[in-house]
Amino acid sequence: MSKVLSAVAWPYANGPRHLGHVAGFAVPSDVFSRYMRMAGHDVLMVSGSDEHGTPILVLADQEGVTARELVDRNHAIIATELADLGCSYDLYTRTTTANHYSVAQELFTQVWKNGYMVEQTTRGAISPSTGRTLPDRYIEGTCPICSYPEARGDQCDNCGNQLEPTDLINPRSKINGETPEFIETQHFFLDLPALAGALREWLEGREASGTWRPNVIKFSLNILDDIRPRAMTRDIDWGIPVPLEGWSDQPAKRLYVWFDAVIGYLSASVEWARRLGEPERWREWWNDPEAVSYYFMGKDNITFHSQIWPAELLAYAGRGDKGGEPGAFGQLNLPTEVVSSEYLTMEGKQFSTSRGYVIHIRDVLERYGPDAIRYFICAAGPENQDSNFTWAEFVQRNNSELVAGWGNLVNRTAAMVAKNFGEIPEPGPLEPVDEAVRAKVLASFDTVGDLLGRQRIKAAVSEAMRTVGEVNKYVTDTEPFKLKGEDQRVRLATVLHTLVQCVSDLNTVMSPFLPHSSNAVHLAIGGEGEFMPMPVVKEVPGLDVGDEGRSYPVVTGEYTSTPRWESRPVVVGAGVAKPTPVFTKLDESVVADELRRLEGDGEDGADGEG
């Protein structure tokens, strides 16, 4: 058993999540984490709501509420959505806790002590009409490197290069279109050039492992060629104070939202251990060099996870050109793998909350349930290339694969057992056809498990469904519905017992993808209790000074009862009743209905993910 940290991208708390968001970080990380628990590993899955930064202030002003009120509301919404989707976090928390402030300030302070946080004068962007600092991501212009006309002030999504707002040609505010003013201001910069050698050595080691997705490792190595210091503080009054004398009492100087957001993986782990009553337990995942860590996100966040966060960790440990020593947290593990998904579009267009071209995850959950959308993301999501969600394909996959394939196998197996025996029957001698299908199902534990362990979720679910097809073929070949004579009773019992065993094993194989329905399948074939543990939303009190009298919702769960990734014999004599369908067939009219909704009234808002 190994320690596995599943570090999941922190959704930005500017509103509910849409389908494009959860396809990139939520479902892939949960499928992987559930499998790794089943395979016997000790998994710590953490994340939370990213709640600082100017975009929060802009939205709060628009709504006439405080930033705190806005993030309190949105954090509760996002946490509930992710729990309902089945994301099995050990802790999903937030960045506005005193615990997170303390951990982020500890990292900043030690990085500064080690010499990798350098004070420089720079030019900051100001809105002429409001006097408020404009965040890098809210400034748009032409990229000076590739001439892409919609590059952002922090990076160009076309060529992937890191940028500063002053680099842009014809910069403009994305908030109101005005040209920003640039004024001189003092900030702390992370000295990335002094960490470039250590970063390259680490990345080349990850490349040699052969485990990273090619697009991620190639991009990560390429951005080292243009590495330069990057500002880690901002002129803003909403965020974590700079923990240095002469800075901490400045009301408009705060840590950069991205500096503190990636530290959330560590602070969430610390909070989890503290709430467990074992405050040093987090170290098993962060200080033990044998522990492994997997970071899940969309491709727009690769820079922060393969360059900025590793650089912070190296600087904290004093492992750059300037030397230094670790702080109180010790030498922290670098990511084992950065698991980045590509982009999901919808009906051929980019998701846009502000233009109303979006499907919020809450709407999908309420209309179609969690497992239908989880299945689509697993089978057709943007794992290693951009993919397109269409309502026609969603309905087709639901009906022809989930309902007609897996659901039909479960239902007719349970129905035949209920009708003929009312319980799982004792089998007679197995024939070659029985042994062959059992061997195919047993083999799927190795093939699907190997793929899931390497985050090849699309191939894994395809292999699982191929095996479902083999068992459906077994039903066709053996024709148990024709075994009606008394002299065929033993053969009927053998076929149906074989079928139930196959369905039981396939339910284990399918459960990381479809945890909700795995519980229904388990009950349908004579099982008792919950098969796959599910997450819960829990209101918890603050832990520190600064959080007095404050509570907030988190996603957590008890996952020690997670079944092992192996075959378990079904229980002869377990009662099986006439089943109800596990999955719901969708009418073709769903496509037209959803397209009408899409082209109809849209809700204003803003996209974002931390």
Side-chain angles (χ1 to χ4, degrees), residues 190-248:
L190 181 61
D191 191 355
L192 289 170
L195 297 158
L199 277 170
R200 185 174 295 280
E201 181 181 355
W202 167 68
L203 282 170
E204 288 177 347
R206 300 320 306 152
E207 182 181 35
S209 74
T211 60
W212 282 36
R213 292 176 180 174
N215 62 315
V216 180
I217 192 65
K218 181 179 178 181
F219 176 85
S220 301
L221 285 167
N222 285 344
I223 60 178
L224 284 178
D225 295 335
D226 187 38
I227 199 166
R228 48 184 151 164
R230 185 151 188 170
M232 289 295 149
T233 55
R234 288 292 187 269
D235 293 307
I236 185 175
D237 57 5
W238 174 244
I240 300 176
V242 181
L244 297 178
E245 184 177 353
W247 285 75
S248 58

Side-chain angles (χ1 to χ4, degrees), residues 124-198:
I126 301 293
S127 166
S129 61
T130 67
R132 176 173 282 166
T133 301
L134 287 170
D136 296 349
R137 286 192 167 211
Y138 271 48
I139 302 172
E140 194 172 74
T142 300
C143 176
I145 299 170
C146 71
S147 299
Y148 180 61
E150 297 180 0
R152 298 195 312 262
D154 58 350
Q155 73 178 47
C156 175
D157 285 340
N158 185 58
C159 67
N161 282 286
Q162 174 186 329
L163 300 172
E164 295 293 338
T166 51
D167 297 330
L168 295 174
I169 300 168
N170 298 322
R172 57 193 176 275
S173 167
K174 292 180 68 175
I175 298 173
N176 55 20
E178 65 186 4
T179 301
E181 293 180 5
F182 291 95
I183 63 170
E184 285 196 347
T185 182
Q186 290 293 111
H187 283 296
F188 279 102
F189 283 69
L190 181 61
D191 191 355
L192 289 170
L195 297 158

